[in-house]
Amino acid sequence: MKKLFLLLLLVSSFTFSQDKSSYEELIEKSPFNSMYPEFMAEEAAEYFDEFNMLFSDASPIARKEARLVAVAVSAALRCEYCIAAQIESAKNEGATDEEIKAAIQIAGEIQRFSTLLYGNEFSWDQFNKMIGRDNE
C-alpha cells in the first residue's frame, strides 16, 4: 500500500511539473500568454496565433493596413496598452507617422460623427437620405 501511495504521489507530481513547464513554455513563447489562467493558457495561445493571422499575408487585408485599423480601434477604445503595441507593430510593417496619425484621426472623426448623429436622434430615413442610400 505504501509503495502504491508513493507511486501515485510520484506520478501526480511529475504530471504537475510537466503542466507547469508547458505553461512556462507558453509564457516564454509570448509574454502575453501570462494574461490567461493557467488552465486555459494553451487554448488561449492557440486562439491568439489564429487571431494574429489577420495581420499576416493570409489575410485579405494587407499587413500594414490591418495594423493601421488596429491602431485606429485601439485609439477609439482608449486602450493605452493596445495603442503602444499596435503603433509599434504598424511601424514594423512600414507605416509612417503620418499614416498612423491619419488612422487615429479617422477613428476620432467616426467617433465624433457617431456622437453627433446619436445625440441629434437622426432617424434611419434621415440618415439614409444623407448618405445617398435608397430606402427599400
Side-chain angles (χ1 to χ4, degrees):
M1 184 70 166
K2 197 175 193 180
K3 287 181 182 180
L4 181 61
F5 176 74
L6 289 173
L7 181 62
L8 287 173
L9 182 64
L10 180 63
V11 168
S12 66
S13 67
F14 176 74
T15 303
F16 178 74
S17 67
Q18 209 173 25
D19 288 342
K20 198 67 163 172
S21 67
S22 66
Y23 181 68
E24 289 168 359
E25 287 174 14
L26 286 172
I27 293 171
E28 285 177 21
K29 180 180 174 190
S30 171
F32 290 106
N33 290 329
S34 66
M35 293 187 296
Y36 305 109
E38 188 172 340
F39 78 92
M40 64 181 286
E42 187 173 343
E43 290 80 7
E46 289 171 10
Y47 171 78
F48 194 69
D49 288 342
E50 291 294 318
F51 161 75
N52 276 307
M53 289 185 68
L54 290 168
F55 303 105
S56 74
D57 292 331
S59 176
I61 299 175
R63 296 164 76 107
K64 181 174 80 170
E65 285 74 15
R67 288 296 177 183
L68 289 169
V69 169
V71 167
V73 171
S74 298
L77 292 173
R78 298 181 176 151
C79 175
E80 295 176 41
Y81 306 100
C82 305
I83 293 166
Q86 294 306 330
I87 286 176
E88 187 68 24
S89 294
K91 286 182 176 183
N92 289 339
E93 292 298 338
T96 65
D97 287 341
E98 284 299 303
E99 290 172 317
I100 291 167
K101 288 176 187 178
I104 293 166
Q105 185 70 37
I106 290 167
E109 292 302 323
I110 298 297
Q111 195 169 33
R112 182 175 77 84
F113 277 108
S114 174
T115 300
L116 291 171
L117 291 166
Y118 185 76
N120 286 300
E121 297 181 316
F122 278 87
S123 70
W124 277 107
D125 288 339
Q126 289 173 297
F127 178 73
N128 283 328
K129 285 178 188 173
M130 291 169 70
I131 64 170
R133 181 188 290 168
D134 293 330
N135 278 340
E136 297 176 6

